[in-house]
Amino acid sequence: MNTRNSNARNRNFEKEQSFRNPLFLQLNFAIEAVKSYFESLSNEKKLEIYDFGCGQKPYEIFVNNHKYIGIDINENNDKADIYADITCVPIEDNVADIVTSFYVLEHVENPQKVIDEKYRVLKNGGELFMLVPLYWEEHEQPYDFFRFTRFGIEKMMQNAGFENIEISEVNSNPSILGMHLARFFDRRFFRILVPIINYLFYKMEIRVQRKARENNRKLSNVMTFAVKGIK
Protein backbone atom coordinates (compact mmCIF):
# COMPACT_ATOMS: atom_id res chain seq x y z
CA MET A 1 0.00 0.00 0.00
CA ASN A 2 1.56 3.26 -1.08
CA THR A 3 1.05 6.22 1.23
CA ARG A 4 3.44 8.68 -0.30
CA ASN A 5 2.47 12.09 1.07
CA SER A 6 2.13 15.34 -0.84
CA ASN A 7 3.91 17.59 1.67
CA ALA A 8 7.44 16.23 1.25
CA ARG A 9 8.98 19.48 0.07
CA ASN A 10 10.14 22.30 2.30
CA ARG A 11 7.65 25.13 2.61
CA ASN A 12 8.04 28.89 2.66
CA PHE A 13 4.72 30.41 3.72
CA GLU A 14 5.86 33.98 3.11
CA LYS A 15 6.59 33.14 -0.51
CA GLU A 16 3.49 30.97 -0.93
CA GLN A 17 1.23 33.73 0.42
CA SER A 18 2.74 36.45 -1.72
CA PHE A 19 0.51 37.97 -4.43
CA ARG A 20 3.50 37.46 -6.73
CA ASN A 21 3.15 33.69 -6.45
CA PRO A 22 1.15 32.25 -9.39
CA LEU A 23 -0.17 29.56 -6.98
CA PHE A 24 -1.27 32.13 -4.40
CA LEU A 25 -4.98 31.43 -4.84
CA GLN A 26 -4.50 27.74 -4.14
CA LEU A 27 -1.98 28.00 -1.32
CA ASN A 28 -3.03 31.08 0.61
CA PHE A 29 -6.55 29.92 1.41
CA ALA A 30 -5.31 26.46 2.45
CA ILE A 31 -2.65 27.87 4.77
CA GLU A 32 -5.14 30.27 6.34
CA ALA A 33 -7.65 27.44 6.87
CA VAL A 34 -5.09 25.35 8.74
CA LYS A 35 -3.85 28.32 10.76
CA SER A 36 -7.39 29.30 11.71
CA TYR A 37 -8.21 25.77 12.83
CA PHE A 38 -5.16 25.36 15.04
CA GLU A 39 -5.58 28.83 16.53
CA SER A 40 -9.17 27.94 17.46
CA LEU A 41 -8.06 25.09 19.70
CA SER A 42 -8.40 25.52 23.44
CA ASN A 43 -5.18 26.01 25.40
CA GLU A 44 -6.73 24.80 28.65
CA LYS A 45 -4.89 21.49 28.28
CA LYS A 46 -2.09 20.15 26.14
CA LEU A 47 -3.61 18.25 23.22
CA GLU A 48 -2.00 15.37 21.32
CA ILE A 49 -2.24 16.05 17.58
CA TYR A 50 -1.30 13.31 15.10
CA ASP A 51 -0.60 14.49 11.55
CA PHE A 52 -1.01 11.67 9.01
CA GLY A 53 1.43 12.17 6.12
CA CYS A 54 3.21 15.03 7.87
CA GLY A 55 5.97 15.65 5.32
CA GLN A 56 8.19 18.42 6.69
CA LYS A 57 5.55 19.34 9.33
CA PRO A 58 5.06 22.84 7.90
CA TYR A 59 1.98 23.56 10.00
CA GLU A 60 3.61 22.78 13.33
CA ILE A 61 4.30 26.51 13.76
CA PHE A 62 0.55 27.05 14.27
CA VAL A 63 -0.09 24.52 17.05
CA ASN A 64 1.14 26.62 20.00
CA ASN A 65 2.09 24.43 22.98
CA HIS A 66 0.20 21.32 21.94
CA LYS A 67 2.03 18.06 21.26
CA TYR A 68 2.36 17.62 17.50
CA ILE A 69 3.28 14.14 16.28
CA GLY A 70 4.09 13.63 12.61
CA ILE A 71 3.54 10.31 10.82
CA ASP A 72 5.25 9.67 7.49
CA ILE A 73 6.16 6.63 5.42
CA ASN A 74 9.48 8.10 4.28
CA GLU A 75 12.20 6.95 6.69
CA ASN A 76 14.53 9.61 5.27
CA ASN A 77 12.22 12.32 6.54
CA ASP A 78 13.98 13.57 9.67
CA LYS A 79 10.96 15.70 10.61
CA ALA A 80 8.66 12.73 11.21
CA ASP A 81 8.18 11.20 14.67
CA ILE A 82 6.63 7.92 13.52
CA TYR A 83 7.49 6.07 10.30
CA ALA A 84 4.53 4.05 9.09
CA ASP A 85 2.02 3.36 6.37
CA ILE A 86 -0.85 5.65 7.39
CA THR A 87 -3.38 2.87 6.79
CA CYS A 88 -1.79 0.95 9.68
CA VAL A 89 -0.10 3.15 12.27
CA PRO A 90 1.76 1.41 15.15
CA ILE A 91 0.02 3.26 18.00
CA GLU A 92 -2.71 2.19 20.39
CA ASP A 93 -6.41 2.87 20.07
CA ASN A 94 -7.95 6.03 21.55
CA VAL A 95 -4.77 8.07 22.10
CA ALA A 96 -5.19 11.19 19.94
CA ASP A 97 -7.14 14.32 20.77
CA ILE A 98 -6.93 15.44 17.14
CA VAL A 99 -5.89 13.79 13.87
CA THR A 100 -5.06 15.77 10.76
CA SER A 101 -3.91 15.43 7.18
CA PHE A 102 -3.38 18.04 4.50
CA TYR A 103 -3.61 17.11 0.82
CA VAL A 104 -2.64 13.54 1.60
CA LEU A 105 -5.81 11.51 1.14
CA GLU A 106 -5.69 11.77 -2.66
CA HIS A 107 -2.29 10.05 -2.62
CA VAL A 108 -3.32 6.80 -0.93
CA GLU A 109 -4.72 3.82 -2.76
CA ASN A 110 -7.44 3.20 -0.17
CA PRO A 111 -8.54 6.48 1.46
CA GLN A 112 -11.29 4.74 3.45
CA LYS A 113 -8.63 2.76 5.32
CA VAL A 114 -6.85 5.97 6.26
CA ILE A 115 -10.04 7.53 7.59
CA ASP A 116 -10.80 4.32 9.50
CA GLU A 117 -7.32 4.42 11.01
CA LYS A 118 -7.76 8.03 12.07
CA TYR A 119 -11.01 7.05 13.78
CA ARG A 120 -9.28 4.18 15.58
CA VAL A 121 -6.51 6.26 17.11
CA LEU A 122 -8.80 9.10 18.20
CA LYS A 123 -10.10 9.31 21.74
CA ASN A 124 -13.86 9.31 22.17
CA GLY A 125 -14.87 12.90 21.52
CA GLY A 126 -11.66 13.54 19.57
CA GLU A 127 -11.73 15.45 16.29
CA LEU A 128 -10.53 14.90 12.73
CA PHE A 129 -9.51 17.87 10.60
CA MET A 130 -8.20 17.58 7.06
CA LEU A 131 -7.96 19.31 3.71
CA VAL A 132 -8.87 17.38 0.57
CA PRO A 133 -8.99 18.54 -3.06
CA LEU A 134 -11.90 18.45 -5.45
CA TYR A 135 -10.02 20.35 -8.15
CA TRP A 136 -6.28 20.14 -8.74
CA GLU A 137 -4.05 18.94 -11.54
CA GLU A 138 -2.21 15.63 -11.33
CA HIS A 139 0.74 15.93 -8.97
CA GLU A 140 3.22 13.70 -7.13
CA GLN A 141 2.88 11.40 -10.15
CA PRO A 142 2.31 8.49 -10.24
CA TYR A 143 1.01 8.62 -6.65
CA ASP A 144 -2.11 10.65 -7.34
CA PHE A 145 -5.30 8.60 -7.24
CA PHE A 146 -8.40 10.56 -6.21
CA ARG A 147 -10.37 13.79 -5.97
CA PHE A 148 -13.23 14.13 -3.49
CA THR A 149 -16.75 15.51 -3.72
CA ARG A 150 -18.39 16.59 -0.46
CA PHE A 151 -20.74 13.63 -0.79
CA GLY A 152 -17.95 11.11 -1.27
CA ILE A 153 -15.93 12.35 1.68
CA GLU A 154 -19.04 12.55 3.87
CA LYS A 155 -19.89 8.93 3.03
CA MET A 156 -16.39 7.73 3.94
CA MET A 157 -16.51 9.68 7.20
CA GLN A 158 -19.87 8.12 8.04
CA ASN A 159 -18.58 4.66 7.15
CA ALA A 160 -15.74 5.12 9.64
CA GLY A 161 -18.17 6.18 12.38
CA PHE A 162 -17.62 9.93 12.55
CA GLU A 163 -20.41 12.23 13.68
CA ASN A 164 -21.05 15.99 13.51
CA ILE A 165 -19.37 16.03 10.10
CA GLU A 166 -18.68 19.48 8.66
CA ILE A 167 -17.46 20.00 5.10
CA SER A 168 -16.74 23.56 4.04
CA GLU A 169 -15.26 25.22 0.97
CA VAL A 170 -11.73 26.55 1.42
CA ASN A 171 -11.60 28.12 -2.04
CA SER A 172 -13.81 27.88 -5.07
CA ASN A 173 -14.39 28.97 -8.66
CA PRO A 174 -12.71 32.43 -8.47
CA SER A 175 -9.57 30.77 -7.14
CA ILE A 176 -9.62 28.18 -9.89
CA LEU A 177 -10.08 30.75 -12.64
CA GLY A 178 -7.64 33.26 -11.16
CA MET A 179 -4.95 30.66 -10.60
CA HIS A 180 -5.11 29.57 -14.24
CA LEU A 181 -4.78 33.16 -15.39
CA ALA A 182 -1.90 33.87 -13.00
CA ARG A 183 -0.04 30.79 -14.16
CA PHE A 184 -0.66 31.67 -17.81
CA PHE A 185 0.82 35.16 -17.37
CA ASP A 186 3.72 34.00 -15.20
CA ARG A 187 6.25 34.45 -17.98
CA ARG A 188 8.75 37.12 -18.90
CA PHE A 189 7.22 40.58 -19.44
CA PHE A 190 3.70 39.49 -18.48
CA ARG A 191 4.73 38.47 -14.96
CA ILE A 192 3.94 41.96 -13.71
CA LEU A 193 0.24 41.08 -14.10
CA VAL A 194 0.35 38.16 -11.64
CA PRO A 195 -0.08 40.22 -8.42
CA ILE A 196 -2.95 42.17 -9.98
CA ILE A 197 -4.74 38.98 -11.06
CA ASN A 198 -4.23 37.39 -7.66
CA TYR A 199 -5.51 40.44 -5.81
CA LEU A 200 -8.64 40.79 -7.95
CA PHE A 201 -9.58 37.12 -7.77
CA TYR A 202 -8.74 36.98 -4.06
CA LYS A 203 -11.29 39.75 -3.44
CA MET A 204 -13.76 37.94 -5.69
CA GLU A 205 -13.26 34.69 -3.76
CA ILE A 206 -13.91 36.42 -0.44
CA ARG A 207 -17.10 37.97 -1.81
CA VAL A 208 -18.38 34.70 -3.31
CA GLN A 209 -17.85 32.82 -0.06
CA ARG A 210 -19.46 35.57 2.01
CA LYS A 211 -22.54 35.58 -0.23
CA ALA A 212 -22.75 31.80 -0.07
CA ARG A 213 -22.70 31.88 3.75
CA GLU A 214 -25.30 34.64 3.89
CA ASN A 215 -27.62 32.63 1.63
CA ASN A 216 -26.79 29.29 3.30
CA ARG A 217 -25.71 27.99 -0.10
CA LYS A 218 -23.16 25.30 -0.83
CA LEU A 219 -20.66 25.93 -3.61
CA SER A 220 -20.15 23.09 -6.08
CA ASN A 221 -17.16 24.29 -8.11
CA VAL A 222 -14.59 23.91 -5.36
CA MET A 223 -10.82 23.64 -5.25
CA THR A 224 -10.39 22.44 -1.65
CA PHE A 225 -12.68 21.20 1.13
CA ALA A 226 -11.95 21.48 4.85
CA VAL A 227 -13.38 18.46 6.66
CA LYS A 228 -14.15 18.01 10.36
CA GLY A 229 -15.67 15.13 12.27
CA ILE A 230 -16.05 13.94 15.85
CA LYS A 231 -15.53 10.40 17.14
Side-chain angles (χ1 to χ4, degrees):
M1 174 68 67
N2 172 67
T3 54
R4 183 184 179 93
N5 73 77
S6 60
N7 271 333
R9 62 187 174 87
N10 291 320
R11 303 284 296 276
N12 182 332
F13 288 160
E14 182 178 357
K15 182 177 180 180
E16 290 180 2
Q17 293 187 280
S18 167
F19 282 117
R20 296 182 180 278
N21 185 353
L23 297 180
F24 166 84
L25 290 162
Q26 193 267 336
L27 296 169
N28 176 71
F29 286 102
I31 293 166
E32 290 300 316
V34 177
K35 181 180 178 182
S36 178
Y37 175 76
F38 282 135
E39 289 182 347
S40 73
L41 299 177
S42 171
N43 288 315
E44 293 182 1
K45 68 172 185 176
K46 188 172 185 178
L47 302 174
E48 290 200 3
I49 302 169
Y50 285 78
D51 186 1
F52 281 55
C54 66
Q56 296 298 303
K57 298 168 74 172
Y59 301 112
E60 187 175 20
I61 62 173
F62 300 138
V63 302
N64 296 317
N65 295 319
H66 301 302
K67 186 175 182 182
Y68 188 79
I69 301 137
I71 306 168
D72 199 282
I73 196 171
N74 182 5
E75 294 185 358
N76 294 319
N77 179 5
D78 59 3
K79 296 288 187 180
D81 303 289
I82 298 171
Y83 299 104
D85 183 323
I86 57 174
T87 63
C88 186
V89 179
I91 57 178
E92 298 177 359
D93 298 354
N94 309 311
V95 296
D97 295 294
I98 294 170
V99 295
T100 64
S101 66
F102 307 111
Y103 298 106
V104 170
L105 206 62
E106 70 269 28
H107 297 287
V108 296
E109 295 174 27
N110 192 329
Q112 183 68 65
K113 280 190 174 183
V114 177
I115 295 174
D116 292 344
E117 187 71 351
K118 291 177 178 181
Y119 186 87
R120 179 187 71 80
V121 305
L122 273 173
K123 299 175 182 177
N124 291 331
E127 185 170 72
L128 173 151
F129 176 69
M130 62 182 174
L131 300 184
V132 298
L134 173 58
Y135 174 84
W136 190 236
E137 65 187 31
E138 287 185 353
H139 57 288
E140 299 289 326
Q141 296 97 330
Y143 304 104
D144 188 5
F145 304 113
F146 299 101
R147 298 294 181 269
F148 302 95
T149 67
R150 73 174 73 245
F151 308 104
I153 198 67
E154 181 178 36
K155 180 62 175 175
M156 287 191 289
M157 293 280 287
Q158 290 171 341
N159 289 345
F162 283 99
E163 300 178 347
N164 300 327
I165 299 166
E166 298 178 17
I167 302 173
S168 57
E169 304 92 355
V170 172
N171 46 2
S172 61
N173 198 42
S175 291
I176 296 171
L177 293 173
M179 183 193 66
H180 280 302
L181 277 175
R183 295 178 76 182
F184 178 80
F185 283 106
D186 185 37
R187 61 192 71 190
R188 301 187 69 178
F189 305 111
F190 299 105
R191 192 163 290 152
I192 193 172
L193 297 175
V194 170
I196 299 170
I197 293 168
N198 280 332
Y199 178 79
L200 291 175
F201 280 87
Y202 169 79
K203 290 294 186 180
M204 195 181 305
E205 179 71 57
I206 296 296
R207 184 175 184 275
V208 165
Q209 292 203 36
R210 184 180 69 249
K211 289 290 186 181
R213 289 192 298 269
E214 290 172 354
N215 296 314
N216 196 28
R217 178 170 57 89
K218 301 295 185 183
L219 300 172
S220 59
N221 198 7
V222 174
M223 183 176 286
T224 299
F225 287 113
V227 183
K228 295 181 184 178
I230 303 294
K231 178 174 178 178

